[in-house]
Amino acid sequence: MKQTVYTASPESQQIHVWRLNAEGSLTLVQVVDVPGQVQPMVVSPDKRFLYVGVRPEFRVLAYRIAPDDGALTYTAEAPLPGSPTHISTDRKGQFIFSGSYNAGCVSVTRLEDGLPRDSVEVVEGLEGCHSANISPDNRTLWVPALKQDRICLFTLSDDGHLAAQTPAEITTVEGAGPRHMVFHPNQQYAYVVNELNSSVDVWALNDPNGKIERVQTLDMMPSDFTDTRWAADIHITPDGRHLYACDRTSSLITIFSISEDGSVLAIEGFQPTETQPRGFNIDNSGKFLVAAGQKSHHIALYEIKGEQGLLEEKGRYAVGQGPMWVVVNAH
Ligand SMILES: O=C1O[C@H](COP(=O)(O)O)[C@@H](O)[C@H](O)[C@H]1O
């Protein structure tokens, strides 16, 4: 399996393309100058395209991915209704979802043969909208509205429209600020990182009547941490055994183990990382983690080790200015 790491650096308007070598190192393949401040990125389910959200002219750009070395070629673009804070796709590669924190909306852009075309839906009134996450069955879009302490639930129709479900939302504790999330591979649990109180919620999805219940809330900070909490990103290993979440003030990655059934998290340790880690990701084999330091202008590569999933640093690399998003593609 070949793997490519993409990092987005909005301040220098660049995407760095890296080959991830099996022994745990990165080799620079390409530096792409992007026509705008590049922030969120996602690879299409068929691995042919990288979609990136840019500003100040709000657009999604599509880059074709070279199958041999992962290099990018600009191919197409489409406008977005607000500054793209988060970009994702549905699981069939028919739609792009973009959440906008500043515009308080989520939008759906139709894809045609992998290329972004027209906008088919915009839902407003989602204050501090921070991500859009399609469920494993491709039916429900989970949209955290950070400033409203709620995660809105929409049914995705075949033509890309979003209909509020009943109930239309789940709520966190007051002041939590739900931001990013991941699903367990067994499809029974979701894990949400809350920005404003640096906690992680475990949501159970296995109720026979479809009720979504919060079954655990964990403080992700060390017990002696007293500074401002400012969590950012969360990722899970493909085998569902380890979960990681980062906090920007402390520049720590919290390492969690996950119980066999996915229902219980336990903190295994804290990994100091690059300054102000706003984005990180895990490779497709579950062996490596790459974290971006928005203030260090470097990325760090870690090997995920042992039963506890602790992180061992393998190297750090200069990227562009203000790196804040990491994607890993297997091809
Ligand atoms: O993480 C955060 O994100 C929001 C939105 O970011 P943007 O890059 O889409 O403008 C930001 O305003 C907030 O302060 C920050 O904590």
Side-chain angles (χ1 to χ4, degrees), residues 112-172:
E112 201 178 279
D113 193 23
L115 303 180
R117 298 296 189 204
D118 48 322
S119 172
V120 291
E121 181 76 274
V122 182
V123 179
E124 294 175 324
L126 307 168
E127 283 181 41
C129 179
H130 229 301
S131 63
N133 313 270
I134 197 69
S135 59
D137 65 3
N138 211 38
R139 183 176 169 270
T140 301
L141 192 68
W142 293 52
V143 184
L146 184 149
K147 292 184 186 172
Q148 297 171 322
D149 290 328
R150 61 180 184 145
I151 301 168
C152 300
L153 303 168
F154 299 97
T155 299
L156 175 68
S157 71
D158 289 345
D159 55 1
H161 290 286
L162 299 176
Q165 293 188 351
T166 309
E169 65 192 34
I170 52 176
T171 54
T172 64

Side-chain angles (χ1 to χ4, degrees), residues 183-198:
F183 294 97
H184 192 283
N186 72 12
Q187 309 190 6
Q188 307 291 294
Y189 295 91
Y191 311 95
V192 180
V193 67
N194 298 306
E195 172 174 325
L196 304 179
N197 70 3
S198 290

Side-chain angles (χ1 to χ4, degrees), residues 58-59 79-83 98 100 103 105-109 119 121-122 124:
F58 309 142
R59 291 167 293 160
L80 292 171
S83 54
S98 178
S100 177
C105 69
V106 66
S107 61
V108 183
T109 300
S119 172
E121 181 76 274
V122 182
E124 294 175 324

Side-chain angles (χ1 to χ4, degrees), residues 39 55 84-85 101-102 130 179 195 230 248 278 324:
Q39 289 208 358
R55 53 183 82 185
T85 301
Y101 178 93
N102 294 302
H130 229 301
R179 191 178 201 277
E195 172 174 325
W230 199 27
R248 286 169 280 181
R278 179 160 168 174
M324 50 93 81

